Coordinates of all heavy atoms in Angstrom, one line a residue:
M66 N -22.6 0.4 25.8 CA -23.1 1.9 25.5 C -24.3 2.2 26.3 O -25.3 1.3 26.2 CB -23.3 2.0 24.1 CG -23.7 3.4 23.6 SD -24.0 3.7 21.9 CE -22.3 3.4 21.3
T67 N -24.3 3.2 27.0 CA -25.5 3.6 27.8 C -26.6 4.2 26.9 O -26.3 4.6 25.8 CB -25.2 4.5 28.9 OG1 -24.8 5.8 28.4 CG2 -24.1 4.0 29.9
S68 N -27.9 4.3 27.5 CA -28.9 4.9 26.6 C -28.7 6.4 26.4 O -29.0 6.9 25.4 CB -30.3 4.7 27.3 OG -30.3 5.3 28.6
K69 N -28.0 7.1 27.4 CA -27.7 8.5 27.3 C -26.6 8.7 26.2 O -26.7 9.6 25.3 CB -27.2 9.1 28.6 CG -28.3 9.4 29.5 CD -27.8 10.1 30.7 CE -29.0 10.4 31.6 NZ -28.7 11.4 32.6
E70 N -25.7 7.8 26.1 CA -24.7 7.9 25.0 C -25.2 7.6 23.6 O -25.0 8.4 22.6 CB -23.5 7.0 25.3 CG -22.6 7.2 26.5 CD -21.7 6.2 26.9 OE1 -21.9 5.0 26.5 OE2 -20.6 6.4 27.5
R71 N -26.1 6.7 23.6 CA -26.9 6.3 22.4 C -27.7 7.5 21.9 O -27.7 7.8 20.7 CB -27.7 5.1 22.5 CG -28.2 4.4 21.3 CD -29.0 3.2 21.5 NE -28.2 2.2 22.3 CZ -27.2 1.4 21.8 NH1 -26.9 1.5 20.6 NH2 -26.7 0.5 22.6
A72 N -28.4 8.1 22.8 CA -29.2 9.3 22.5 C -28.3 10.4 22.0 O -28.7 11.2 21.0 CB -30.1 9.7 23.7
Y73 N -27.2 10.7 22.7 CA -26.3 11.7 22.2 C -25.8 11.4 20.8 O -25.8 12.4 19.9 CB -25.1 11.8 23.2 CG -24.0 12.8 22.8 CD1 -24.2 14.1 22.6 CD2 -22.8 12.2 22.3 CE1 -23.2 14.9 22.3 CE2 -21.7 13.0 21.9 CZ -22.0 14.4 21.9 OH -20.9 15.2 21.5
L74 N -25.4 10.2 20.5 CA -24.9 9.9 19.1 C -26.0 9.9 18.1 O -25.9 10.4 17.0 CB -24.3 8.4 19.1 CG -23.0 8.3 20.0 CD1 -22.6 6.9 20.1 CD2 -21.9 9.2 19.4
R75 N -27.3 9.6 18.5 CA -28.4 9.7 17.6 C -28.6 11.2 17.2 O -28.9 11.5 16.0 CB -29.7 9.2 18.2 CG -30.1 7.8 17.7 CD -31.5 7.5 18.1 NE -31.9 7.8 19.4 CZ -31.9 6.9 20.5 NH1 -31.3 5.8 20.3 NH2 -32.3 7.4 21.6
G76 N -28.5 12.1 18.2 CA -28.6 13.5 17.9 C -27.5 14.0 17.0 O -27.8 14.8 16.1
L77 N -26.3 13.6 17.1 CA -25.2 13.9 16.2 C -25.5 13.4 14.8 O -25.2 14.0 13.8 CB -23.9 13.4 16.7 CG -23.3 14.0 18.0 CD1 -22.0 13.4 18.4 CD2 -23.0 15.5 17.8
A78 N -26.1 12.2 14.7 CA -26.3 11.6 13.4 C -27.4 12.2 12.7 O -27.5 12.0 11.4 CB -26.6 10.1 13.6
N79 N -28.3 13.0 13.3 CA -29.3 13.6 12.6 C -28.8 14.5 11.5 O -29.4 14.7 10.5 CB -30.2 14.4 13.6 CG -31.2 13.5 14.2 OD1 -31.6 12.5 13.8 ND2 -31.7 14.0 15.4
G80 N -27.7 15.2 11.8 CA -27.1 16.2 10.8 C -26.2 15.6 9.8 O -25.8 16.4 8.9
I81 N -26.0 14.3 9.8 CA -25.1 13.7 8.7 C -26.0 13.0 7.6 O -27.0 12.5 7.9 CB -24.0 12.9 9.3 CG1 -24.6 11.7 10.0 CG2 -23.1 13.6 10.2 CD1 -23.5 10.7 10.4
K82 N -25.4 13.0 6.5 CA -26.0 12.3 5.4 C -25.4 10.9 5.3 O -24.3 10.7 5.5 CB -25.8 13.0 4.0 CG -26.6 14.4 4.1 CD -26.5 15.1 2.8 CE -27.1 16.4 2.8 NZ -27.9 16.7 1.8
P83 N -26.2 10.0 4.7 CA -25.6 8.6 4.5 C -24.5 8.6 3.5 O -24.5 9.3 2.5 CB -26.8 7.8 3.9 CG -28.0 8.6 4.3 CD -27.7 10.0 4.3
I84 N -23.4 7.9 3.9 CA -22.2 7.9 3.0 C -22.2 6.5 2.3 O -21.3 6.4 1.4 CB -20.9 8.2 3.8 CG1 -20.7 7.2 4.8 CG2 -21.0 9.6 4.3 CD1 -19.3 7.3 5.5
F85 N -23.0 5.6 2.6 CA -23.0 4.3 1.9 C -24.5 4.0 1.6 O -25.4 4.3 2.3 CB -22.5 3.1 2.9 CG -21.1 3.3 3.2 CD1 -20.7 3.6 4.5 CD2 -20.1 2.9 2.3 CE1 -19.4 3.7 4.7 CE2 -18.8 3.0 2.5 CZ -18.4 3.4 3.7
Q86 N -24.6 3.2 0.4 CA -25.9 2.7 0.0 C -25.6 1.2 -0.2 O -24.8 0.9 -1.0 CB -26.4 3.3 -1.3 CG -26.9 4.7 -1.1 CD -27.6 5.3 -2.3 OE1 -27.2 4.9 -3.4 NE2 -28.4 6.2 -2.2
I87 N -26.4 0.4 0.4 CA -26.3 -1.1 0.2 C -27.5 -1.6 -0.6 O -28.7 -1.3 -0.1 CB -26.2 -1.8 1.6 CG1 -25.0 -1.3 2.3 CG2 -26.0 -3.3 1.3 CD1 -24.9 -1.7 3.7
G88 N -27.3 -2.2 -1.6 CA -28.4 -2.7 -2.5 C -28.4 -4.1 -2.8 O -28.1 -4.9 -1.9
K89 N -28.8 -4.4 -4.0 CA -28.9 -5.8 -4.5 C -27.7 -6.6 -4.3 O -27.8 -7.8 -4.0 CB -29.3 -5.8 -6.0 CG -29.7 -7.0 -6.6 CD -30.0 -6.9 -8.1 CE -30.4 -8.2 -8.7 NZ -30.8 -8.0 -10.1
G90 N -26.5 -6.1 -4.4 CA -25.2 -6.8 -4.3 C -25.0 -7.3 -2.9 O -24.3 -8.2 -2.6
G91 N -25.8 -6.7 -1.9 CA -25.6 -7.1 -0.5 C -24.3 -6.7 0.1 O -23.6 -5.8 -0.3
I92 N -23.9 -7.6 1.1 CA -22.6 -7.2 1.9 C -21.5 -8.2 1.4 O -21.7 -9.4 1.3 CB -22.8 -7.4 3.3 CG1 -24.1 -6.6 3.9 CG2 -21.6 -7.1 4.2 CD1 -24.6 -6.9 5.2
S93 N -20.3 -7.5 1.1 CA -19.2 -8.3 0.7 C -18.0 -7.9 1.5 O -18.1 -7.0 2.4 CB -18.9 -8.0 -0.8 OG -18.5 -6.6 -0.9
E94 N -16.9 -8.5 1.4 CA -15.7 -8.2 2.1 C -15.3 -6.7 1.8 O -14.7 -6.0 2.7 CB -14.5 -9.1 1.7 CG -14.6 -10.5 2.3 CD -14.7 -10.5 3.8 OE1 -13.9 -9.8 4.4 OE2 -15.6 -11.2 4.3
N95 N -15.5 -6.3 0.6 CA -15.2 -4.9 0.2 C -16.0 -3.9 1.0 O -15.6 -2.8 1.4 CB -15.4 -4.7 -1.3 CG -15.0 -3.3 -1.7 OD1 -13.9 -2.8 -1.3 ND2 -15.7 -2.8 -2.7
I96 N -17.3 -4.2 1.3 CA -18.2 -3.4 2.1 C -17.7 -3.3 3.5 O -17.6 -2.2 4.1 CB -19.6 -3.9 2.1 CG1 -20.2 -3.8 0.7 CG2 -20.5 -3.2 3.1 CD1 -20.7 -2.4 0.2
Y97 N -17.3 -4.4 4.1 CA -16.7 -4.5 5.4 C -15.5 -3.6 5.5 O -15.3 -2.8 6.5 CB -16.3 -5.9 5.9 CG -17.5 -6.8 6.1 CD1 -17.4 -8.1 5.6 CD2 -18.6 -6.4 6.7 CE1 -18.5 -8.9 5.8 CE2 -19.7 -7.3 6.9 CZ -19.6 -8.5 6.4 OH -20.6 -9.4 6.6
R98 N -14.6 -3.6 4.6 CA -13.4 -2.9 4.6 C -13.7 -1.4 4.4 O -13.1 -0.6 5.2 CB -12.5 -3.3 3.4 CG -11.1 -2.6 3.4 CD -10.1 -3.1 2.3 NE -10.8 -3.4 1.0 CZ -11.1 -2.4 0.1 NH1 -10.9 -1.2 0.4 NH2 -11.6 -2.8 -1.0
Q99 N -14.7 -1.0 3.6 CA -15.0 0.4 3.5 C -15.6 0.9 4.7 O -15.3 2.1 5.1 CB -16.0 0.6 2.3 CG -15.3 0.4 1.0 CD -16.4 0.5 -0.2 OE1 -17.6 0.5 0.0 NE2 -15.9 0.6 -1.4
F100 N -16.5 0.2 5.4 CA -17.1 0.6 6.7 C -16.0 0.8 7.7 O -16.0 1.7 8.5 CB -18.2 -0.4 7.2 CG -19.5 0.0 6.7 CD1 -20.0 -0.5 5.4 CD2 -20.4 0.7 7.5 CE1 -21.2 -0.2 5.0 CE2 -21.7 1.0 7.0 CZ -22.1 0.5 5.7
D101 N -15.1 -0.1 7.7 CA -14.0 -0.1 8.7 C -13.1 1.2 8.6 O -12.9 1.9 9.5 CB -13.1 -1.4 8.6 CG -12.0 -1.4 9.7 OD1 -12.4 -1.4 10.8 OD2 -10.8 -1.6 9.2
E102 N -12.8 1.5 7.3 CA -12.0 2.7 7.0 C -12.8 3.9 7.4 O -12.2 4.9 7.9 CB -11.5 2.7 5.6 CG -10.5 1.7 5.2 CD -10.3 1.6 3.8 OE1 -10.9 2.2 2.9 OE2 -9.4 0.6 3.4
A103 N -14.1 4.0 7.1 CA -14.9 5.1 7.3 C -15.1 5.4 8.9 O -15.1 6.5 9.3 CB -16.2 5.0 6.6
L104 N -15.2 4.2 9.6 CA -15.4 4.4 11.0 C -14.1 4.9 11.6 O -14.2 5.6 12.6 CB -15.8 3.1 11.6 CG -17.3 2.7 11.4 CD1 -17.5 1.2 11.7 CD2 -18.2 3.5 12.3
E105 N -12.9 4.5 11.1 CA -11.7 5.0 11.7 C -11.6 6.4 11.4 O -11.1 7.2 12.3 CB -10.5 4.2 11.1 CG -9.2 4.6 11.6 CD -9.0 4.4 13.1 OE1 -9.6 3.5 13.7 OE2 -8.3 5.2 13.7
A106 N -12.1 6.9 10.3 CA -11.9 8.4 9.9 C -12.9 9.2 10.6 O -12.7 10.3 10.9 CB -11.9 8.5 8.4
R107 N -14.1 8.7 10.8 CA -15.3 9.6 11.1 C -15.9 9.2 12.5 O -16.6 10.0 13.1 CB -16.4 9.5 10.1 CG -15.9 10.0 8.7 CD -17.1 9.9 7.8 NE -16.7 10.2 6.5 CZ -17.4 10.9 5.7 NH1 -18.6 11.3 6.1 NH2 -17.0 11.3 4.5
E108 N -15.7 8.0 12.9 CA -16.3 7.4 14.2 C -17.9 7.2 14.1 O -18.3 6.2 14.6 CB -16.1 8.3 15.4 CG -14.6 8.3 15.8 CD -14.3 9.0 17.0 OE1 -14.9 10.2 17.2 OE2 -13.6 8.5 17.9
L109 N -18.6 8.1 13.5 CA -20.0 7.9 13.4 C -20.4 8.0 11.9 O -20.1 9.0 11.3 CB -20.6 9.0 14.2 CG -22.2 9.1 14.3 CD1 -22.6 7.9 15.3 CD2 -22.7 10.3 15.0
I110 N -21.1 7.0 11.4 CA -21.5 7.0 10.0 C -22.9 6.5 9.9 O -23.5 5.7 10.7 CB -20.6 6.0 9.1 CG1 -20.6 4.7 9.6 CG2 -19.2 6.6 9.1 CD1 -19.8 3.7 8.7
K111 N -23.5 7.0 8.8 CA -24.9 6.7 8.4 C -24.9 6.0 7.1 O -24.2 6.4 6.2 CB -25.8 7.9 8.4 CG -27.2 7.6 8.3 CD -28.0 8.9 8.1 CE -28.2 9.6 9.4 NZ -29.1 10.8 9.3
A112 N -25.7 4.9 6.9 CA -25.8 4.2 5.6 C -27.3 4.0 5.4 O -28.2 3.9 6.3 CB -25.0 2.9 5.8
S113 N -27.6 3.8 4.1 CA -29.0 3.5 3.7 C -29.0 2.1 3.0 O -28.0 1.8 2.3 CB -29.6 4.6 2.9 OG -28.9 4.8 1.7
V114 N -30.2 1.5 3.1 CA -30.3 0.2 2.5 C -31.4 0.4 1.4 O -32.5 0.8 1.7 CB -30.7 -0.9 3.5 CG1 -31.0 -2.2 2.8 CG2 -29.7 -1.1 4.6
L115 N -31.1 0.1 0.2 CA -32.0 0.2 -0.9 C -33.1 -0.8 -0.9 O -33.0 -1.9 -0.3 CB -31.3 0.2 -2.2 CG -30.1 1.2 -2.4 CD1 -29.5 1.0 -3.8 CD2 -30.7 2.6 -2.3
K116 N -34.2 -0.6 -1.5 CA -35.4 -1.5 -1.5 C -35.1 -2.8 -2.1 O -35.7 -3.8 -1.8 CB -36.6 -0.8 -2.1 CG -37.1 0.3 -1.4 CD -38.3 0.9 -2.0 CE -38.8 2.1 -1.0 NZ -40.0 2.7 -1.6
N117 N -34.2 -2.9 -3.0 CA -33.9 -4.2 -3.7 C -32.8 -5.0 -3.0 O -32.4 -6.0 -3.5 CB -33.4 -3.9 -5.2 CG -32.1 -3.1 -5.2 OD1 -31.6 -2.7 -4.2 ND2 -31.6 -3.0 -6.4
A118 N -32.5 -4.6 -1.7 CA -31.5 -5.4 -1.0 C -32.1 -6.7 -0.6 O -33.4 -6.8 -0.4 CB -31.1 -4.6 0.2
D119 N -31.3 -7.8 -0.3 CA -31.8 -9.1 0.0 C -32.0 -9.3 1.4 O -32.5 -10.3 1.8 CB -30.9 -10.1 -0.6 CG -29.4 -9.9 -0.1 OD1 -29.1 -8.9 0.4 OD2 -28.6 -10.9 -0.4
Q120 N -31.6 -8.4 2.3 CA -31.8 -8.5 3.8 C -32.4 -7.2 4.2 O -32.4 -6.2 3.6 CB -30.5 -8.6 4.5 CG -29.7 -9.9 4.2 CD -28.3 -9.9 5.0 OE1 -27.9 -8.9 5.4 NE2 -27.8 -11.1 5.3
N121 N -33.0 -7.2 5.5 CA -33.6 -6.1 6.0 C -32.6 -5.2 6.6 O -31.4 -5.6 6.9 CB -34.7 -6.4 7.0 CG -34.2 -7.1 8.3 OD1 -33.1 -7.0 8.6 ND2 -35.1 -7.8 9.0
T122 N -32.9 -4.0 7.0 CA -32.0 -3.0 7.4 C -31.3 -3.3 8.8 O -30.1 -3.3 9.0 CB -32.6 -1.6 7.6 OG1 -33.3 -1.3 6.3 CG2 -31.7 -0.5 7.9
R123 N -32.0 -3.8 9.8 CA -31.5 -4.2 11.0 C -30.5 -5.4 10.9 O -29.5 -5.3 11.5 CB -32.7 -4.6 12.0 CG -32.1 -5.0 13.4 CD -33.0 -4.9 14.5 NE -33.7 -3.7 14.7 CZ -33.1 -2.7 15.4 NH1 -31.8 -2.8 15.9 NH2 -33.6 -1.6 15.7
S124 N -30.8 -6.4 10.2 CA -29.9 -7.5 10.0 C -28.6 -7.1 9.4 O -27.6 -7.5 9.8 CB -30.5 -8.6 9.4 OG -30.8 -8.4 8.0
M125 N -28.7 -6.2 8.4 CA -27.5 -5.7 7.7 C -26.6 -4.9 8.7 O -25.4 -5.0 8.8 CB -27.8 -4.9 6.5 CG -28.2 -5.6 5.2 SD -28.2 -4.6 3.9 CE -28.5 -5.8 2.6
A126 N -27.3 -4.0 9.5 CA -26.6 -3.1 10.4 C -25.9 -4.0 11.5 O -24.7 -3.8 11.8 CB -27.6 -2.2 11.1
E127 N -26.6 -5.0 12.0 CA -26.0 -5.8 13.0 C -24.8 -6.7 12.4 O -23.8 -6.9 13.1 CB -27.0 -6.8 13.7 CG -28.0 -6.0 14.5 CD -29.2 -6.8 15.0 OE1 -29.4 -7.9 14.5 OE2 -29.9 -6.2 15.8
D128 N -25.0 -7.1 11.2 CA -23.9 -8.0 10.5 C -22.7 -7.1 10.4 O -21.5 -7.5 10.7 CB -24.4 -8.5 9.2 CG -23.5 -9.4 8.5 OD1 -22.5 -9.9 9.1 OD2 -23.6 -9.5 7.3
I129 N -22.8 -5.9 9.8 CA -21.7 -5.1 9.5 C -21.0 -4.7 10.8 O -19.8 -4.7 11.0 CB -22.1 -3.8 8.7 CG1 -22.5 -4.3 7.3 CG2 -21.0 -2.7 8.7 CD1 -23.2 -3.1 6.5
A130 N -21.8 -4.3 11.9 CA -21.3 -3.9 13.1 C -20.5 -5.0 13.8 O -19.4 -4.7 14.3 CB -22.5 -3.4 14.1
A131 N -21.0 -6.2 13.7 CA -20.3 -7.3 14.3 C -18.9 -7.6 13.6 O -17.9 -7.9 14.3 CB -21.1 -8.6 14.2
N132 N -18.9 -7.4 12.3 CA -17.7 -7.6 11.5 C -16.6 -6.6 11.6 O -15.5 -6.9 11.4 CB -18.0 -7.9 10.0 CG -18.5 -9.3 9.9 OD1 -17.6 -10.3 9.9 ND2 -19.8 -9.6 9.7
V133 N -17.0 -5.3 11.9 CA -16.1 -4.2 12.0 C -15.8 -3.7 13.4 O -15.1 -2.8 13.7 CB -16.5 -3.0 11.1 CG1 -16.5 -3.4 9.6 CG2 -17.7 -2.4 11.5
G134 N -16.5 -4.4 14.4 CA -16.2 -4.1 15.8 C -16.9 -2.7 16.2 O -16.4 -2.0 17.0
A135 N -18.1 -2.5 15.6 CA -18.8 -1.2 15.8 C -20.1 -1.5 16.6 O -20.4 -2.6 16.9 CB -19.1 -0.5 14.6
E136 N -20.8 -0.4 17.0 CA -22.1 -0.6 17.7 C -23.1 0.0 16.8 O -23.0 1.1 16.3 CB -22.0 0.1 19.1 CG -21.1 -0.6 20.0 CD -21.3 -0.2 21.4 OE1 -22.5 -0.2 21.8 OE2 -20.3 0.1 22.1
V137 N -24.3 -0.6 16.8 CA -25.5 0.0 16.1 C -26.0 1.1 17.0 O -26.5 0.7 18.2 CB -26.5 -1.1 15.8 CG1 -27.7 -0.5 15.1 CG2 -25.9 -2.2 14.9
V138 N -26.1 2.3 16.6 CA -26.7 3.4 17.3 C -28.2 3.4 17.1 O -29.0 3.5 18.0 CB -26.0 4.7 16.9 CG1 -26.7 5.9 17.6 CG2 -24.5 4.7 17.3
S139 N -28.6 3.4 15.9 CA -30.0 3.3 15.5 C -30.3 2.7 14.2 O -29.5 2.7 13.3 CB -30.6 4.8 15.6 OG -30.2 5.5 14.5
V140 N -31.5 2.3 14.1 CA -32.0 1.8 12.8 C -33.4 2.4 12.6 O -34.2 2.2 13.5 CB -32.2 0.2 12.8 CG1 -32.8 -0.3 11.4 CG2 -30.8 -0.4 13.0
M141 N -33.6 3.2 11.6 CA -34.8 3.8 11.4 C -35.2 3.7 9.8 O -34.4 4.3 9.1 CB -34.9 5.3 11.8 CG -34.6 5.5 13.3 SD -34.9 7.2 13.8 CE -36.6 7.3 13.7
G142 N -36.2 3.0 9.6 CA -36.6 2.8 8.2 C -35.6 2.1 7.4 O -35.2 1.0 7.7
N143 N -35.1 2.8 6.4 CA -34.0 2.1 5.6 C -32.7 2.7 5.8 O -31.7 2.4 5.1 CB -34.4 2.3 4.1 CG -34.3 3.7 3.6 OD1 -34.4 4.6 4.4 ND2 -33.9 3.9 2.3
K144 N -32.5 3.3 7.0 CA -31.2 3.9 7.4 C -30.8 3.4 8.7 O -31.5 3.0 9.5 CB -31.2 5.4 7.4 CG -31.5 6.1 6.1 CD -31.5 7.6 6.2 CE -31.7 8.3 4.9 NZ -32.8 8.0 4.1
F145 N -29.4 3.3 8.8 CA -28.9 2.9 10.1 C -27.5 3.7 10.4 O -27.0 4.2 9.4 CB -28.6 1.4 10.2 CG -27.6 0.8 9.2 CD1 -26.2 0.8 9.6 CD2 -28.0 0.4 8.0 CE1 -25.3 0.2 8.7 CE2 -27.0 -0.2 7.1 CZ -25.6 -0.2 7.5
V146 N -27.3 3.8 11.7 CA -26.1 4.6 12.1 C -25.2 3.6 13.0 O -25.7 2.9 13.8 CB -26.5 5.7 13.0 CG1 -25.3 6.6 13.5 CG2 -27.5 6.7 12.2
L147 N -23.9 3.7 12.7 CA -22.9 2.9 13.4 C -21.9 3.8 14.1 O -21.6 4.9 13.5 CB -22.1 1.9 12.5 CG -22.9 0.9 11.7 CD1 -22.0 0.1 10.8 CD2 -23.7 0.0 12.6
Y148 N -21.4 3.4 15.2 CA -20.4 4.2 16.0 C -19.2 3.1 16.3 O -19.4 2.1 16.8 CB -20.9 4.8 17.2 CG -19.9 5.4 18.1 CD1 -19.3 6.6 17.7 CD2 -19.5 4.7 19.2 CE1 -18.3 7.1 18.6 CE2 -18.5 5.3 20.0 CZ -17.9 6.5 19.7 OH -16.9 7.0 20.5
R149 N -18.0 3.7 16.2 CA -16.9 3.0 16.8 C -15.8 4.1 17.0 O -15.5 4.9 16.2 CB -16.3 1.9 15.8 CG -15.1 1.2 16.4 CD -14.5 0.2 15.4 NE -13.7 1.0 14.5 CZ -13.3 0.5 13.3 NH1 -13.6 -0.8 12.9 NH2 -12.6 1.2 12.5
E150 N -15.3 4.0 18.3 CA -14.2 5.0 18.6 C -13.0 4.8 17.8 O -12.5 3.6 17.7 CB -13.9 4.8 20.1 CG -13.0 5.9 20.6 CD -12.7 5.7 22.1 OE1 -13.6 5.3 22.8 OE2 -11.6 6.2 22.5
S151 N -12.5 5.8 17.3 CA -11.3 5.8 16.5 C -10.1 5.7 17.3 O -10.0 6.2 18.4 CB -11.2 7.0 15.6 OG -10.0 7.0 14.9
R152 N -9.1 4.9 16.8 CA -7.8 4.8 17.5 C -6.9 6.1 17.4 O -6.2 6.5 18.3 CB -7.0 3.7 17.0 CG -7.6 2.3 17.3 CD -6.9 1.1 16.8 NE -7.0 1.0 15.3 CZ -8.1 0.4 14.7 NH1 -9.1 0.0 15.5 NH2 -8.2 0.2 13.5
E153 N -7.1 6.8 16.3 CA -6.3 8.0 16.1 C -7.1 9.3 15.9 O -6.5 10.3 16.3 CB -5.4 7.8 14.8 CG -4.5 6.6 14.9 CD -3.7 6.4 13.6 OE1 -3.8 7.2 12.7 OE2 -3.1 5.3 13.5
N154 N -8.2 9.3 15.3 CA -8.9 10.4 15.0 C -10.1 10.6 16.0 O -11.3 10.7 15.5 CB -9.5 10.4 13.6 CG -8.3 10.3 12.6 OD1 -7.3 10.8 12.7 ND2 -8.6 9.4 11.6
K155 N -9.9 10.8 17.3 CA -11.0 10.9 18.2 C -11.7 12.3 18.0 O -11.1 13.3 18.3 CB -10.5 10.7 19.6 CG -10.1 9.3 19.8 CD -9.7 9.1 21.3 CE -9.3 7.8 21.5 NZ -8.8 6.8 21.6
T156 N -12.9 12.3 17.6 CA -13.6 13.6 17.4 C -14.9 13.6 18.3 O -15.4 14.7 18.5 CB -14.0 13.8 15.9 OG1 -14.9 12.6 15.5 CG2 -12.9 13.9 15.0
I157 N -15.4 12.5 18.7 CA -16.6 12.3 19.5 C -16.1 11.8 20.9 O -15.5 10.8 21.0 CB -17.6 11.4 18.9 CG1 -18.0 11.8 17.5 CG2 -18.8 11.2 19.9 CD1 -18.9 10.9 16.8
F158 N -16.4 12.6 21.9 CA -16.0 12.2 23.3 C -17.3 11.8 24.1 O -18.1 12.7 24.3 CB -15.2 13.3 24.0 CG -13.9 13.6 23.3 CD1 -13.9 14.7 22.4 CD2 -12.9 12.8 23.4 CE1 -12.7 15.0 21.7 CE2 -11.7 13.1 22.8 CZ -11.6 14.2 21.9
L159 N -17.3 10.5 24.5 CA -18.4 10.1 25.2 C -18.1 10.1 26.7 O -17.0 9.9 27.1 CB -18.9 8.7 24.8 CG -19.4 8.5 23.4 CD1 -19.7 7.2 23.1 CD2 -20.6 9.5 23.2

């Protein structure tokens, strides 16, 4: 992903609210499945990491992205944005 594409996606992500919160329970197989389904439906998703989580935001974002085949668009504070092109529901054209 180029820096221009990343900047474009960051701009799109400004207008969306986090649809996931990851907390004390951490990351499980269920979380991976939910992120996978959400990325297929939306392509661009935002999530937030609660203060009681056992990992930092960047490591969680990279872990989830690696497991679902997505790319980390940005990590700011306790929020992160992931992008993966959908196979059927293409709404974002890079």
Side-chain angles (χ1 to χ4, degrees):
M66 178 179 299
T67 66
S68 61
K69 284 189 177 193
E70 291 171 337
R71 192 175 308 283
Y73 172 69
L74 292 172
R75 258 196 318 268
L77 291 177
N79 280 338
I81 62 174
K82 295 186 183 217
I84 61 170
F85 292 107
Q86 288 185 334
I87 303 170
K89 188 177 177 181
I92 302 171
S93 65
E94 287 300 317
N95 188 35
I96 295 284
Y97 293 136
R98 186 174 41 76
Q99 288 177 349
F100 269 86
D101 186 53
E102 291 170 1
L104 283 164
E105 181 59 33
R107 299 175 184 223
E108 292 186 311
L109 187 68
I110 59 172
K111 187 185 284 187
S113 64
V114 178
L115 302 177
K116 291 182 181 182
N117 63 355
D119 55 351
Q120 293 179 337
N121 68 21
T122 306
R123 179 161 298 280
S124 64
M125 282 193 175
E127 290 171 352
D128 181 23
I129 293 169
N132 279 286
V133 298
E136 293 194 48
V137 178
V138 174
S139 71
V140 177
M141 293 187 77
N143 68 334
K144 293 181 175 60
F145 64 90
V146 178
L147 299 180
Y148 170 78
R149 184 182 73 196
E150 185 176 331
S151 175
R152 291 179 284 281
E153 297 175 13
N154 303 321
K155 291 184 182 48
T156 57
I157 301 171
F158 298 98
L159 295 180

